[in-house]
């Protein structure tokens, strides 16, 4: 049977979108299968009276709670985290806060510098031109010249104004002599392509109603789908099909009615995230699994343990508004100092506290019961008067933190996944130390009350590492360009391939690496065709 496309992509999140655009520009025939559907922004209700009543129903971060089309069961009973992700066109960019951070040069060399994790098979400077290119694709807003980062081309849009909260945080960090810089966000501060200028409703994770946030359903798929790429929604990939030579021949997927279809392709690229990609690999070959001679598929699951520190002030700082997103960030204590009792580091970001109910439900007040007679009093005291410092810690890879298939199938009979994850002693020591430092910042800001929340239970942002890349086929799943060692025309471009997690948000690196890998695959296409 003749292949129906040159390249078949599984997953319409950031890696799939960036790759699809690159392939289409190279005149390749592209099909993308997405198990979810297009986001329904009619349910993005910020600015309407029912906004906070429905936001957590339609835009819940945990798929076990959301249960949208395309969501599958994730058993987290043996895990310190719950996997937070979005299944649909746009992937998790639909609900990310759009904090845009490049990895630091040291993040690519943790084994050499600190004796932990593994060095990446390329370095920051190899990825730098791809960072610059995707920042234009994602309408990144920010300010060049951050002294904590290498020199770089300015983002295409200016940063958000610091406003009252950002200025208070900046003044405190100046007083302490610690680093800060205006936040870089994948949020338009002016009209840019298909995006509109942000109106700072702090509704970024709940379906941006303005169309300012650079989710790839808006920035990539709307221009691509139906024109340069065939995008099939509600198409849940069950397995990759191999031919008699052990090469990928295509995939089998279930449509929304459960009927099975087979589509053949010259190359298959998995972009289904660090849970969905191992799920497909494990379920392939009729459940025998593929691309796993190393035994590393599903292992080394990394996330970003998250904590925060809340300050409450006498003054009204209007902290219900702003990009969520970040006003500013600090990388003062990002690099390893072993005298602290742990290795690697963390990023801090200052964010708004949000609208009334969101603020009361999400900021882990901890000190007093939310509900009951104190609710109205606390709301009046804290709405607009509270700020949040978020802390993202680097998570070191551990082979025992893993993803496996779960016995509970989805509606089509395809197994879900089970995650087994425990935060390390290094992580716990790192988070405790950083929360203590952020507490000092709140003191310098003049907070009248502080609430400290190290390692917020269940929060598992940024899933990475379950199909690790490297040059040694005995210990890794894919090569530096995302090509599976065991299956030469099967590729993985998503965050599954990350050897380490860094201590910053990963979407910039997901997108940049996907572009690098896609461009490499385009250059190799003649060799792949000759071998097919």
């Amino acid at each position: 049977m003749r292949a129906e496309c040159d390249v078949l992509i599984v997953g319409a999140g950031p890696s799939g979108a960036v790759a699809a655009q690159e392939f289409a520009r190279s005149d390749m025939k592209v099909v993308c299968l997405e198990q979810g559907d297009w986001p329904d922004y009619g349910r993005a209700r910020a600015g309407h009276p029912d906004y906070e009543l429905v936001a957590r129903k339609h835009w819940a971060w945990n798929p076990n709670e959301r249960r949208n089309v395309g969501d599958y069961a994730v058993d987290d009973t043996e895990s310190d985290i719950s996997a937070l992700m979005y299944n649909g066109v746009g992937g998790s960019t639909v609900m990310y806060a759009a904090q845009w951070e490049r990895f630091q040069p040291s993040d690519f060399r943790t084994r050499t510098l600190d004796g932990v994790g593994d060095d990446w098979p390329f370095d920051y400077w190899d990825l730098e031109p791809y960072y610059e290119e995707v920042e234009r694709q994602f309408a990144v807003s920010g300010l060049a010249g951050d002294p904590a980062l290498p020199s770089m081309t300015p983002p295409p849009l200016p940063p958000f104004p610091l406003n009252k909260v950002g200025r208070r945080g900046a003044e405190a960090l100046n007083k302490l002599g610690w680093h800060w810089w205006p936040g870089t966000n994948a949020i338009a501060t002016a009209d840019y392509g298909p995006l509109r200028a942000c109106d700072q409703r702090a509704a970024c994770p709940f379906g941006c109603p303005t169309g300012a946030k650079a989710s790839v359903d808006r920035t990539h798929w709307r221009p691509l789908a139906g024109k340069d790429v065939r995008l099939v929604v509600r198409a849940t990939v069950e397995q990759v099909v191999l031919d008699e030579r052990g090469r990928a021949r295509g995939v089998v997927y279930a449509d929304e009615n459960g009927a099975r279809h087979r589509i053949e392709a010259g190359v298959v690229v998995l972009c289904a995230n660090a849970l969905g990609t191992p799920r497909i690999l494990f379920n392939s070959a009729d459940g025998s699994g593929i691309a796993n001679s190393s035994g590393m598929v599903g292992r080394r699951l990394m996330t970003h343990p998250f904590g925060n520190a809340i300050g409450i002030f006498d003054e009204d700082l209007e902290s219900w508004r702003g990009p969520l997103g970040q006003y500013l960030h600090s990388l003062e204590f990002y690099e390893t100092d072993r005298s602290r009792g742990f290795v690697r580091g963390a990023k801090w970001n200052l964010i708004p506290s949000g609208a009334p109910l969101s603020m009361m439900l999400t900021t882990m007040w901890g000190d007093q019961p939310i509900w009951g007679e104190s609710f109205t009093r606390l709301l009046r005291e804290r709405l607009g008067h509270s700020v949040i410092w978020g802390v993202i810690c680097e998570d070191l890879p551990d082979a025992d933190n893993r993803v496996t298939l779960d016995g509970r199938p989805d509606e089509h009979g395809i197994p879900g996944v089970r995650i087994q994850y425990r935060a390390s002693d290094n992580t716990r020591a790192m988070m405790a130390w950083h929360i203590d430092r952020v507490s000092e910042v709140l003191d310098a800001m003049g907070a009248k009350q502080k609430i400290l929340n190290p390692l917020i239970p269940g929060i598992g942002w940024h899933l990475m590492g379950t199909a690790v890349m490297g040059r040694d086929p005995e210990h890794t799943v894919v090569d530096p360009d995302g090509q599976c060692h065991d299956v030469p025309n099967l590729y993985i471009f998503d965050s599954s391939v990350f050897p380490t997690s860094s201590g910053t948000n990963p979407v910039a690196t997901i997108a940049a690496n996907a572009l690098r890998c896609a461009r490499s695959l385009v250059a190799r296409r003649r060799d792949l065709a000759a071998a097919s």
Side-chain angles (χ1 to χ4, degrees):
M1 180 177 177
R2 184 178 178 83
E4 297 177 48
C5 56
D6 298 313
V7 57
L8 173 67
I9 299 171
V10 180
S15 56
V18 169
Q21 179 173 274
E22 185 65 20
F23 295 146
R25 287 174 174 173
S26 301
D27 296 322
M28 298 174 77
K29 186 176 180 182
V30 184
V31 174
C32 179
L33 303 179
E34 167 54 51
Q35 65 190 21
D37 209 333
W38 289 90
D40 180 1
Y41 289 109
R43 294 177 168 180
R45 302 288 295 170
H48 294 267
D50 63 347
Y51 161 51
E52 293 193 281
L53 298 178
V54 300
R56 295 178 187 285
K57 171 180 173 62
H58 300 314
W59 306 98
W61 302 329
N62 187 331
N64 291 333
E65 298 172 4
R66 186 177 58 240
R67 298 182 182 179
N68 273 1
V69 171
D71 289 331
Y72 53 89
V74 179
D75 182 347
D76 57 11
T77 55
E78 298 179 63
S79 177
D80 292 343
I81 64 163
S82 295
L84 308 182
M85 61 184 185
Y86 185 87
N87 298 311
V89 179
S92 291
T93 63
V94 171
M95 66 173 197
Y96 75 153
Q99 298 169 21
W100 187 272
E101 300 277 345
R102 297 186 185 188
F103 284 8
Q104 293 273 40
S106 65
D107 293 326
F108 298 86
R109 304 177 61 233
T110 64
R111 171 59 59 178
T112 295
L113 295 174
D114 299 315
V116 294
D118 291 298
D119 290 350
W120 290 48
F122 51 85
D123 63 20
Y124 173 89
W125 309 107
D126 293 320
L127 206 56
E128 182 187 38
Y130 302 100
Y131 277 131
E132 290 187 3
E133 195 163 340
V134 295
E135 282 163 7
R136 294 190 292 272
Q137 295 181 20
F138 281 76
V140 171
S141 60
L143 182 66
D146 188 337
L149 300 173
S151 176
M152 62 183 66
T153 301
L157 291 172
F160 285 90
L162 287 179
N163 68 31
K164 293 181 180 180
V165 173
R167 289 196 298 272
R168 181 67 69 93
E171 290 165 358
L173 289 164
N174 284 342
K175 187 185 302 183
L176 293 165
W178 293 351
H179 167 264
W180 70 271
W181 201 250
T184 306
N185 298 287
I187 303 172
T189 51
D191 290 355
Y192 186 96
L195 303 181
R196 305 281 70 83
C198 177
D199 55 11
Q200 300 193 49
R201 300 186 192 190
C204 306
F206 306 112
C208 172
T210 308
K213 187 177 72 170
S215 55
V216 294
D217 56 306
R218 287 172 160 144
T219 57
H220 291 70
W221 287 116
R222 289 291 179 193
L224 284 171
K227 179 183 176 184
D228 300 309
V229 176
R230 180 185 166 211
L231 174 60
V232 184
V233 298
R234 301 193 176 205
T236 303
V237 172
E238 181 175 34
Q239 60 178 300
V240 176
V241 178
L242 303 185
D243 63 17
E244 63 280 358
R245 295 180 297 165
R247 296 173 57 84
R249 190 169 181 179
V251 304
V252 172
Y253 73 92
D255 66 21
E256 59 185 307
N257 298 314
R260 281 350 190 236
H261 304 268
R262 179 164 166 163
I263 183 167
E264 304 213 350
V267 175
V268 176
V269 179
L270 299 182
C271 298
N273 85 26
L275 301 191
T277 287
R279 180 193 187 204
I280 293 169
L281 295 176
F282 283 135
N283 204 49
S284 295
D286 295 321
S288 299
I290 63 171
N292 197 24
S293 64
S294 65
M296 295 306 296
V297 170
R299 292 192 178 273
R300 297 167 59 112
L301 172 65
M302 295 175 289
T303 180
H304 273 145
F306 183 75
N308 67 27
I310 302 163
I312 302 168
F313 297 80
D314 288 324
E315 303 94 324
D316 182 358
L317 299 175
E318 298 180 355
S319 57
W320 42 266
R321 70 187 302 266
L324 188 68
Q326 53 189 347
Y327 298 115
L328 57 82
H329 76 180
S330 176
L331 299 170
E332 177 67 26
F333 301 107
Y334 190 80
E335 304 295 347
T336 292
D337 180 343
R338 290 183 180 274
S339 68
R340 300 170 191 157
F342 56 87
V343 294
R344 305 302 299 154
K347 167 215 163 188
W348 310 344
N349 54 280
L350 184 59
I351 62 176
S353 57
L357 188 57
S358 298
M359 179 195 70
M360 296 298 280
L361 289 176
T362 65
T363 48
M364 301 294 293
W365 295 108
D367 57 333
Q368 299 181 55
I370 292 175
W371 304 111
E373 61 183 17
S374 62
F375 181 87
T376 302
R377 175 180 59 81
L378 292 175
L379 181 61
R380 286 173 175 164
E381 290 177 358
R382 297 175 178 183
L383 179 61
H385 294 254
S386 53
V387 305
I388 305 172
W389 281 100
V391 179
I392 293 177
C393 286
E394 178 157 355
D395 193 18
L396 299 178
D398 181 339
D400 290 334
N401 287 338
R402 62 186 301 194
V403 178
T404 57
L405 289 183
D406 177 37
R408 295 177 297 167
D410 66 12
E411 59 183 329
H412 306 309
I414 302 171
V417 299
R418 177 185 296 111
I419 54 176
Q420 298 165 283
Y421 175 89
R422 294 289 180 254
S424 67
D425 291 341
N426 190 77
T427 290
R428 294 181 184 280
M430 185 190 310
M431 181 60 77
W433 190 92
H434 278 271
I435 290 292
D436 284 346
R437 302 290 79 70
V438 176
S439 177
E440 294 179 47
V441 180
L442 288 173
D443 288 337
M445 290 175 71
K448 69 175 183 180
Q449 184 180 353
K450 300 180 295 184
I451 303 166
L452 309 180
N453 299 300
L455 282 180
I456 296 176
I459 298 295
W461 290 119
H462 310 153
L463 305 167
M464 297 164 279
T466 55
V468 63
M469 75 166 106
R471 302 185 188 281
D472 182 356
E474 293 188 7
H475 298 99
T476 60
V477 179
V478 301
D479 76 5
D481 294 321
Q483 184 179 33
C484 288
H485 295 302
D486 297 350
V487 185
N489 64 334
L490 176 62
Y491 286 75
I492 302 172
F493 287 179
D494 59 33
S495 59
S496 304
V497 304
F498 284 17
T500 53
S501 71
S502 94
T504 62
N505 311 69
V507 172
T509 303
I510 292 171
N513 185 59
L515 179 58
R516 185 189 66 84
C517 290
R519 203 155 282 170
S520 173
L521 194 155
V522 169
R524 292 191 202 181
R525 63 185 298 194
R526 290 183 181 176
D527 295 337
L528 289 167
S532 63

